[in-house]
Amino acid sequence: MAHTMNEVAQLAGVSPSTVSRVLNKSPFISEETVRRVTAAVQSLNYHRNVHARRLAIGKSDLFGLVISEIANPFFPEVIRGFQSAAWDRGFDVLLLNTEYSAKRTESVIRKLIERDVRGVAVMTSSLGEEVISPLTDEGIGVVFCSHVPADRLVSNITIDYQRGIIEAINHVASLGHSHAAVIAGPETNRTAVTIKQALVNRLKQRGLRPDPITHSDYHLDAGASAVEVILSAKEIPTVVFCGSDLIAMGAMLALESAGIDVPRDISVVGIDDISFSFLARPPLTTISVPREQLGVTSFQALDKMLRLKRQRGAEYMLETGLVIRKSTALARQNKLRRNSSWLKMSRPEVGSAL
């Protein structure tokens, strides 16, 4: 038998509106009231009728989260943070992914509008400013990551990669490195381009020659193919900076396949600090991105913006930092002797995603 909110209120000795505020985790409610309502909900095994609530208040209980690829290990913590923050406020989450395809933009926008989401966090470079008007014209709030300035119904979260990059370059400089390669992410990816520019500029400022500079998809095998370019260079660098941990782990597998020791011969630095990075062999030195906090902040930014009278968005900043593990060491003193077998090395047998 399904019970009503009125029955919960009667059992708890409060009004139905108080039950609603407790379920939506509203502030300024005494602990004793929360305890009584929670006990009544559990006793009656009460579940809110979401569809009835939508009809009653004329608003959806749904927020959207758009990511690039569900298999990319960067995103699970973003999803967890966003979902937990939404659930704590009594909302549900619609998860969509673009698979890095700009062609899916129209489909994603249509789905968000059809499902009547209140707001959407766009955590992928696959969707750009072209999604703003179709969504905001429908009254849907949008939060981006390091993309557009705040505006009405638009907020932006900037990840301060500069801080972590400075720490990483200072770290390898202190180990005696003076020549670094860069394997950046895709040239079509805004975040990847931002990271590459920050890496190259800071390496030059610190006196570390960035050469060669290559690009890679966010896949293990793509990171491996970029190593072929590095090993064919006139002078082999002593450290490789990678645009993501996936690229870095692919690079380490390829270096191992070529008989090059990490970090004795070449040090490797990643970005993201995904859960697999400390399981790599050797464990990966990487720039940590607070991904769960990114998810939490994304929801909070949307929720706050939509509760404001003018629905004006805001700017947010998240810091990065260096995590030192075993993939970086003192720079080798001798030049690596080039081996023709490097260019014919077999690629590691790994999938395109973890």
Side-chain angles (χ1 to χ4, degrees), residues 211-232:
D211 179 57
I213 301 169
T214 63
H215 291 269
S216 167
D217 292 335
Y218 290 127
H219 296 146
L220 287 169
D221 52 354
S225 65
V227 167
E228 296 180 16
V229 176
I230 294 172
L231 296 183
S232 65

Side-chain angles (χ1 to χ4, degrees), residues 34-89:
V34 171
R35 186 193 64 76
R36 295 207 315 271
V37 170
T38 301
V41 166
Q42 294 174 344
S43 175
L44 297 175
N45 193 25
Y46 170 73
H47 298 282
R48 288 183 297 173
N49 188 324
V50 174
H51 298 294
R53 186 171 186 266
R54 287 181 183 178
L55 290 173
I57 66 177
K59 292 183 179 180
S60 165
D61 275 342
L62 198 60
F63 279 82
L65 174 61
V66 182
I67 63 172
S68 297
E69 183 183 22
I70 192 67
N72 189 325
F74 177 90
F75 289 110
E77 290 182 52
V78 177
I79 297 169
R80 181 171 62 188
F82 188 90
Q83 193 171 59
S84 295
W87 285 356
D88 284 347
R89 289 277 289 115

Side-chain angles (χ1 to χ4, degrees), residues 172-177 238 263-267 328-333:
V172 300
S174 72
L175 295 172
H177 294 272
T238 60
R264 185 188 63 202
D265 297 325
I266 297 179
S267 291
T328 49
L330 291 172
R332 68 174 190 274
Q333 297 304 307

Side-chain angles (χ1 to χ4, degrees), residues 66 105-106 108-110 112-113 117-122 124 126-156 190 302 305-306 311-313 315:
V66 182
T105 298
E106 185 177 341
V108 167
I109 295 173
R110 184 173 62 251
L112 291 166
I113 294 174
V117 299
R118 288 194 177 196
V120 55
V122 178
T124 170
S126 300
L127 301 186
E129 296 181 35
E130 72 275 5
V131 309
I132 294 177
S133 293
L135 294 173
T136 57
D137 288 350
E138 297 290 335
I140 298 171
V142 187
V143 60
F144 285 96
C145 181
S146 302
H147 183 40
V148 299
D151 201 345
R152 183 182 178 275
L153 283 174
V154 178
S155 286
N156 183 63
R190 291 188 306 269
L302 286 170
M305 175 172 59
L306 294 172
Q311 296 185 319
R312 178 74 185 182
E315 297 282 347

Side-chain angles (χ1 to χ4, degrees), residues 162-178:
Q162 288 281 356
R163 177 178 175 179
I165 286 171
I166 289 172
E167 290 180 3
I169 293 174
N170 288 343
H171 165 63
V172 300
S174 72
L175 295 172
H177 294 272
S178 59

